[in-house]
Amino acid sequence: MLTAAPTDDVTLGLSSSVPAEGSVSDATVTFTPGNWNQMQEITVTGEDDADMDGDQPYQVVIDAASSLDGRYDGMDPPDVAVNNTDNDTAGVTVSPISGLTTSEAAAQDTFTVVLNSEPTFNVTLTL
């Protein structure tokens, strides 16, 4: 929302400082002489990665305004701080953990093992 009616459209560019952590719903927001005093909602969405990197801060970068109205052209509002909460944890998932059957006649069964997050180094499991 602007503080006074502009004489021409006022456009602000929007972007994420770390697109791998979060994205912005719109690349621009435009205020016109008709909607200058109305709030415009911007949606910020966290991005999921496989890294166990903890909560990651990033910013919604708001570019300097572009307008033929000299009062607003070049005005640079503050960026918006955002925190992307990490949902990755170290661990191993084994499935199934019961109900397997083999026999002395060489019957086989299988189970799977997978890491819960991307490791920073090789992981070796001894069976």
Side-chain angles (χ1 to χ4, degrees):
M1 179 165 86
L2 304 180
T3 57
T7 58
D8 198 61
D9 290 358
V10 177
T11 301
L12 301 167
L14 305 169
S15 62
S16 172
S17 64
V18 186
E21 292 297 337
S23 62
V24 183
S25 61
D26 300 296
T28 62
V29 62
T30 301
F31 293 93
T32 68
N35 76 357
W36 69 273
N37 61 347
Q38 298 171 14
M39 297 277 188
Q40 296 198 35
E41 187 171 275
I42 307 301
T43 301
V44 182
T45 304
E47 299 295 330
D48 191 15
D49 58 29
D51 299 332
M52 189 179 61
D53 54 359
D55 296 352
Q56 293 294 308
Y58 66 99
Q59 297 206 357
V60 174
V61 178
I62 304 175
D63 296 335
S66 174
S67 178
L68 295 177
D69 184 332
R71 295 173 302 159
Y72 287 105
D73 189 50
M75 186 178 286
D76 195 3
D79 297 337
V80 177
V82 185
N83 191 52
N84 191 31
T85 304
D86 192 12
N87 65 352
D88 300 301
T89 57
V92 177
T93 298
V94 180
S95 181
I97 59 170
S98 65
L100 297 175
T101 304
T102 61
S103 76
E104 293 180 354
Q108 299 175 340
D109 210 338
T110 61
F111 64 94
T112 60
V113 179
V114 64
L115 298 179
N116 295 343
S117 64
E118 185 176 352
T120 54
F121 295 97
N122 290 343
V123 175
T124 302
L125 301 173
T126 303
L127 306 175

